[in-house]
Amino acid sequence: MNRVVFDSIFKRFDIYHTLEKEVTALLDHFPEDQLIHRKAGDCLWQEGESANSLLVLRSGWACSIYYHKDGSRQLLEIYLPGDVLGLCQIASGNRRTNAVMLTDGWVCELPHSSLLKLFDDSPNTAALLFAIINQRQAMLAERRITMTHRSAKQRLAHFICECHTRLLEIDENYRDEFLLPLTQQDLADTLGMSAVHVSRTFSQLAAEGLVQRHLFQLIILDATKLREIAAFDERYLKILWGGGNLSLIEQPPSIPISPAASGFSEDQDGRIAEKQ
Amino acid sequence: MNRVVFDSIFKRFDIYHTLEKEVTALLDHFPEDQLIHRKAGDCLWQEGESANSLLVLRSGWACSIYYHKDGSRQLLEIYLPGDVLGLCQIASGNRRTNAVMLTDGWVCELPHSSLLKLFDDSPNTAALLFAIINQRQAMLAERRITMTHRSAKQRLAHFICECHTRLLEIDENYRDEFLLPLTQQDLADTLGMSAVHVSRTFSQLAAEGLVQRHLFQLIILDATKLREIAAFDERYLKILWGGGNLSLIEQPPSIPISPAASGFSEDQDGRIAEKQ
DNA sequence: CGCGACTTTGAGTCTCATCAAGTTCGGTGG
DNA sequence: CCACCGAACTTGATGAGACTCAAAGTCGCG
């Protein structure tokens, strides 16, 4: 049952309950889908390939990478469990980047053709996808702002705050310690700095008692101060919905549904299998 | 008749012919819309405002701006005639940036509620909007790549190439000379460098016989070489369509209209950024 | 136990920001 | 018509942040 797919997509929305009925009603139209296991380093898609499905990352980390002609590379996006990958290629049908697993994990596919059914039957779903894309774009914009306007220390701090916040959104059990499955070279390629300087910057943050990193394990010692120096404002991470007039659906009677009522079972298992 | 609105949106698509019939059929559903004159410096929207319409820029330049707490600012996007502004706030209903006219110009509004009609009657239109957003995001990603990986000279060169290419797309009469209505401070805020360094960089480009700038008038002297040093690959500017299976419309009988009608051609060593 | 991947540390260098002073140019008011 | 003003731009000097190169240290794993 691909119930599970939708759960992982919609879980993170306040509006979950709003669309639930519609989504539920549509579920039976979809083909059975299966979870696929991927190992760290596995390729999810390659630049130039044609894109005919979305991927939902059920567990593990992944990223999209752009390779420069000179051999250097840039990590464009980091994907965490629950993220929907490939939204932007819905229309173009073409991958512009490579996507790679950073850890072991599970993904499942959602063919565009299935999506189409959703679109057709429920314009709201299209709107929902706009919302997700919107948030993605906000992240991209935020990173751009961060990268051009701020020092290396701020950039790294900001990135850590972002990961931390996103993880908490998925599972509030990630308190102030989590696995950050990126090498310093990966971080460098994400943040547009040299690996050497990432190392130095980590030392600096550690010296100030803000974070600590050992073997991909990251400990945040002083979240408040970290956010402060990063000028981190988590609002850009929120998926926004509703101010607009786009909703066909009558605004929900705002029934307070408990998190669990969504049928999502606190999925622990998948938690990042490391390697690397 | 807001025929004019759709023309300005769809003009730039190879797929124009594909959707034309549908769009035309729908036009009558829309309320009469009017062009609004805006002066340089006029505000189109402000951060925090609620968003309930799209704007189509009929003529003139505009930009979106993000203001930092410290008073500095960043120009996030530059809008040229024919661009659709505010797509990403369709779902969120909230403006995250400010938008300002850079020159005098005309805009017209398209309320989200009208859009909804389109969505409803024609899922293809939603897909089309995805395509536009996709391209926007590609631009954002490309700028990010450019800004973190390249020197000031390359960044400026790249930006000039981008503007030039976009202008040509609108009107091929822009040959190698056009008005670039941005002060050096604006350029600095766009490219993440200091105004002083923009000046120096222009001098450098001029010294190498690549471009010339005087009173906002920009002359490209050696487009080939400029693109070369900028590592500019215009493909990321193309609005892509079709590879996917999202199209409800029967694929057009493959009338050989333009190279890209099929969606994509041989995307090799691609540059291009992406967006998830 | 040793190899390889990752990280740390040091030294030298370069790009670009900042500060500051001077220049050009269009517009405005006398 | 001229003088002045301010915005935009140019040019020079100085310094900080970050890159590169290079070498040594750590750790997991076979």
Side-chain angles (χ1 to χ4, degrees):
Chain A
M1 187 67 328
N2 49 19
R3 171 82 217 177
V4 77
V5 178
F6 286 95
D7 279 350
S8 71
I9 298 177
F10 292 131
K11 173 173 183 289
R12 295 157 58 193
F13 294 76
D14 306 329
I15 48 163
Y16 178 69
H17 56 287
T18 301
L19 288 168
E20 188 174 19
K21 272 163 293 183
E22 293 182 307
V23 170
T24 306
L26 282 167
L27 280 179
D28 302 325
H29 295 288
F30 284 77
E32 200 78 351
D33 57 316
Q34 60 279 58
L35 285 171
I36 305 164
H37 183 67
R38 294 285 181 211
K39 288 188 127 70
D42 281 0
C43 181
L44 295 175
W45 70 67
Q46 288 192 298
E47 183 185 340
E49 278 182 15
S50 79
N52 37 37
S53 63
L54 296 179
L55 293 180
V56 179
L57 191 58
R58 294 288 309 165
S59 68
W61 291 44
C63 68
S64 64
I65 305 183
Y66 174 77
Y67 289 96
H68 292 261
K69 295 202 186 72
D70 64 11
S72 66
R73 50 174 214 161
Q74 177 143 9
L75 273 76
L76 284 169
E77 292 194 300
I78 306 294
Y79 305 112
L80 306 187
D83 278 346
V84 186
L85 285 62
L87 273 176
C88 268
Q89 294 105 41
I90 286 181
S92 72
N94 251 282
R95 307 292 186 195
R96 298 198 205 237
T97 54
N98 297 62
V100 171
M101 291 299 294
L102 287 166
T103 68
D104 291 4
W106 296 85
V107 299
C108 59
E109 281 192 56
L110 193 64
H112 287 172
S113 49
S114 308
L115 243 191
L116 184 57
K117 185 89 184 116
L118 257 180
F119 266 51
D120 198 14
D121 293 356
S122 158
N124 287 317
T125 307
L128 177 68
L129 292 184
F130 273 113
I132 303 180
I133 290 181
N134 180 30
Q135 186 257 7
R136 261 296 135 71
Q137 199 159 36
M139 278 180 54
L140 213 56
E142 181 77 13
R143 175 112 3 111
R144 193 186 131 194
I145 289 170
T146 304
M147 298 227 298
T148 59
H149 249 74
R150 308 231 228 271
S151 69
K153 186 166 124 191
Q154 288 181 298
R155 272 181 277 173
L156 182 56
H158 191 278
F159 182 75
I160 292 170
C161 291
E162 181 177 300
C163 288
H164 187 222
T165 304
R166 287 172 69 191
L167 286 172
L168 280 176
E169 204 171 278
I170 302 168
D171 180 350
E172 56 275 2
N173 288 329
Y174 290 103
R175 295 181 321 142
D176 294 336
E177 180 169 352
F178 58 91
L179 196 75
L180 183 68
L182 297 167
T183 66
Q184 293 191 353
Q185 184 61 58
D186 291 336
L187 287 165
D189 293 339
T190 306
L191 300 173
M193 46 202 275
S194 71
V196 171
H197 205 56
V198 170
S199 172
R200 283 189 228 276
T201 307
F202 261 124
S203 307
Q204 205 182 340
L205 291 177
E208 297 178 26
L210 299 174
V211 305
Q212 205 172 302
R213 177 176 180 272
H214 185 64
L215 279 310
F216 299 103
Q217 198 69 23
L218 194 80
I219 306 178
I220 298 182
L221 299 169
D222 188 340
T224 313
K225 210 155 146 211
L226 192 67
R227 283 169 176 242
E228 194 179 308
I229 72 163
F232 182 75
D233 178 346
E234 68 179 34
R235 270 177 302 169
Y236 76 96
L237 285 175
K238 297 300 171 208
I239 295 176
L240 300 175
W241 177 269
N245 302 324
L246 194 57
S247 180
L248 276 179
I249 40 185
E250 59 293 355
Q251 279 304 318
S254 143
I255 307 156
I257 297 190
S258 82
S262 64
F264 197 90
S265 61
E266 222 40 349
D267 150 277
Q268 235 26 321
D269 79 358
R271 183 80 66 115
I272 306 182
E274 57 212 298
K275 174 270 179 176
Q276 188 82 288
Chain B
M1 193 60 330
N2 50 20
R3 173 80 220 178
V4 76
V5 177
F6 287 95
D7 279 350
S8 71
I9 298 176
F10 292 129
K11 173 172 182 295
R12 295 155 57 192
F13 293 76
D14 303 326
I15 47 161
Y16 177 68
H17 58 288
T18 302
L19 287 168
E20 187 172 19
K21 272 162 293 184
E22 293 181 308
V23 170
T24 306
L26 282 166
L27 280 178
D28 303 323
H29 294 288
F30 284 77
E32 199 77 351
D33 57 318
Q34 61 278 62
L35 286 172
I36 306 165
H37 184 67
R38 294 284 181 212
K39 286 187 128 71
D42 280 1
C43 181
L44 296 175
W45 69 67
Q46 287 191 299
E47 184 184 342
E49 278 182 14
S50 79
N52 38 37
S53 63
L54 296 178
L55 293 180
V56 179
L57 190 58
R58 293 290 307 166
S59 67
W61 291 46
C63 67
S64 64
I65 306 183
Y66 176 78
Y67 288 98
H68 292 261
K69 296 198 187 73
D70 64 10
S72 65
R73 51 174 213 162
Q74 177 143 9
L75 301 198
L76 284 170
E77 293 191 298
I78 306 293
Y79 304 111
L80 307 188
D83 279 346
V84 185
L85 285 63
L87 273 176
C88 268
Q89 294 102 41
I90 286 181
S92 72
N94 251 286
R95 306 294 187 194
R96 298 198 203 238
T97 54
N98 298 61
V100 170
M101 292 298 295
L102 287 166
T103 67
D104 291 4
W106 296 86
V107 300
C108 58
E109 282 192 56
L110 194 63
H112 286 173
S113 49
S114 308
L115 242 193
L116 185 55
K117 184 91 183 118
L118 256 179
F119 266 49
D120 198 14
D121 293 357
S122 160
N124 286 316
T125 307
L128 177 67
L129 291 183
F130 273 113
I132 303 181
I133 289 180
N134 180 30
Q135 185 257 7
R136 259 296 134 71
Q137 213 156 29
M139 277 180 55
L140 215 53
E142 179 78 14
R143 177 113 2 109
R144 192 185 132 196
I145 290 171
T146 304
M147 297 226 298
T148 59
H149 252 74
R150 310 233 227 270
S151 70
K153 186 166 125 191
Q154 288 181 298
R155 273 181 277 173
L156 182 56
H158 191 278
F159 181 75
I160 292 169
C161 290
E162 180 178 299
C163 288
H164 187 221
T165 303
R166 288 171 69 191
L167 286 171
L168 281 176
E169 204 170 277
I170 302 167
D171 180 349
E172 55 275 2
N173 288 329
Y174 289 102
R175 294 182 319 143
D176 293 338
E177 180 169 353
F178 58 93
L179 197 74
L180 183 70
L182 297 167
T183 66
Q184 293 191 352
Q185 183 62 58
D186 292 335
L187 286 165
D189 293 338
T190 305
L191 300 173
M193 46 201 276
S194 70
V196 171
H197 205 58
V198 170
S199 172
R200 283 190 230 277
T201 308
F202 261 125
S203 306
Q204 205 182 338
L205 290 177
E208 296 178 26
L210 299 174
V211 306
Q212 204 172 303
R213 177 176 180 272
H214 185 63
L215 279 310
F216 299 102
Q217 197 69 22
L218 194 81
I219 306 177
I220 297 182
L221 298 170
D222 188 340
T224 312
K225 209 156 148 212
L226 191 67
R227 284 170 175 241
E228 193 179 309
I229 72 161
F232 182 77
D233 178 344
E234 67 180 35
R235 269 176 300 168
Y236 76 96
L237 286 174
K238 297 301 173 206
I239 295 176
L240 299 176
W241 178 268
N245 301 325
L246 193 56
S247 181
L248 276 178
I249 40 185
E250 57 295 355
Q251 278 304 320
S254 162
I255 308 155
I257 303 215
S258 83
S262 66
F264 220 67
S265 47
E266 198 49 29
D267 183 15
Q268 206 42 308
D269 71 322
R271 311 257 40 261
I272 299 189
E274 95 106 9
K275 178 353 22 310
Q276 104 120 5

